[in-house]
Amino acid sequence: MYDILLTLMLILSVFIIIVIAMQPTKTQSASNAFLGGASQLFGKQKARGFEAVLIKTTVVCLILFFILALVMTRLF
């Protein structure tokens, strides 16, 4: 049982790393970091399409990882 849960946790952690690495950046260039990104101040939009799917997948995977970690600490 421990080996199965540990394997699931390892697979889930690799998947989380991949999903987070695939997410697009929020700034277009390094100058926006110094200027504060004033061009996007009033243009905040909800994520749509692929970006929304990545955000939801990340949240679900992180919740599953946290629950799996708690289960493993309680069982073993």
Side-chain angles (χ1 to χ4, degrees):
M1 181 73 171
Y2 177 75
D3 292 333
I4 293 170
L5 290 176
L6 192 61
T7 304
L8 284 174
M9 194 168 206
L10 179 66
I11 292 169
L12 190 60
S13 63
V14 170
F15 187 70
I16 289 171
I17 292 170
I18 292 170
V19 169
I20 290 175
M22 287 177 59
Q23 291 184 0
T25 59
K26 300 294 180 189
T27 59
Q28 280 80 21
S29 65
S31 65
N32 281 351
F34 295 113
L35 297 176
S39 63
Q40 295 181 353
L41 181 62
F42 298 107
K44 184 171 174 104
Q45 297 177 352
K46 292 178 70 173
R48 295 184 183 172
F50 186 64
E51 185 178 353
V53 171
L54 283 177
I55 291 170
K56 290 176 185 175
T57 304
T58 304
V59 169
V60 169
C61 287
L62 290 173
I63 290 171
L64 288 174
F65 184 83
F66 184 70
I67 290 171
L68 189 59
L70 288 177
V71 167
M72 287 183 67
T73 58
R74 294 292 178 196
L75 291 180
F76 308 106

